[in-house]
Amino acid sequence: QVRLVESGGGLVQAGGSLRLSCAASGRTFSSYAMGWFRQAPGKEREFVATINWSGDTTYYADSVKGRFTISRDNAKNTVYLQMNSLKPEDPSVYYCASATVRFTTVQTMRYNYWGQGTQVTVSS
C-alpha cells in the first residue's frame, strides 16, 4: 500500500507563492512518475504537472506553464510543486498522485495512488 501525504497549502495573496510537498511511503518512490492535479468546487479534477521517475522530464498544463515548477527528491521520497504568481483561478484542492509508469503522463487513469489533498486559497 502506498501512502501520499500533501502539505504546504494555505491562503496566499494573488501574485504570491506557495510550495506544496508530497511525501510518499510504501513502495519504491523513485521507480514511478508523479503528478499534481487540482479540483475546484463543482469542477472536474484537472491535470497540473507531472514529472518522470528520475526527475529530468516534466510537463505542465498550459494554465500553469511558466508559473509552477514540479520537482522531486528521490532520496527523500518527496515531490514538490512550487507555485508562483498565483492567480484567482488557481484556488483548488491540490492532489499529488503516483503513476503506474515511469514516464510523464497526463492521464488520470495512469495514476493509481492519490493523496488526501491540500487546499490552496488565493485572495485578491
Side-chain angles (χ1 to χ4, degrees):
Q1 187 69 17
V2 175
R3 184 166 184 242
L4 302 174
V5 180
E6 301 100 334
S7 61
L11 173 64
V12 64
Q13 284 189 330
S17 299
L18 280 176
R19 188 194 196 201
L20 305 183
S21 299
C22 173
S25 62
R27 72 170 176 178
T28 307
F29 174 79
S30 61
S31 296
Y32 300 96
M34 297 292 293
W36 285 96
F37 293 76
R38 65 186 183 185
Q39 187 168 18
K43 295 187 177 181
E44 293 188 355
R45 189 170 298 187
E46 65 173 356
F47 164 77
V48 174
T50 178
I51 188 166
N52 72 334
W53 66 279
S54 62
D56 60 4
T57 302
T58 58
Y59 185 78
Y60 299 91
D62 287 343
S63 58
V64 306
K65 198 173 296 182
R67 300 188 297 122
F68 291 10
T69 302
I70 187 172
S71 62
R72 67 190 297 163
D73 185 338
N74 286 343
K76 296 182 178 180
N77 286 0
T78 302
V79 63
Y80 305 96
L81 185 68
Q82 177 68 43
M83 306 186 295
N84 298 329
S85 303
L86 282 161
K87 299 179 178 180
E89 58 263 35
D90 291 322
S92 289
V93 177
Y94 282 72
Y95 300 89
C96 73
S98 179
T100 59
V101 296
R102 293 165 69 87
F103 48 84
T104 56
T105 177
V106 306
Q107 297 178 298
T108 305
M109 63 181 292
R110 291 190 179 271
Y111 291 87
N112 57 344
Y113 294 105
W114 296 80
Q116 82 288 349
T118 185
Q119 178 71 49
V120 172
T121 304
V122 179
S123 63
S124 57

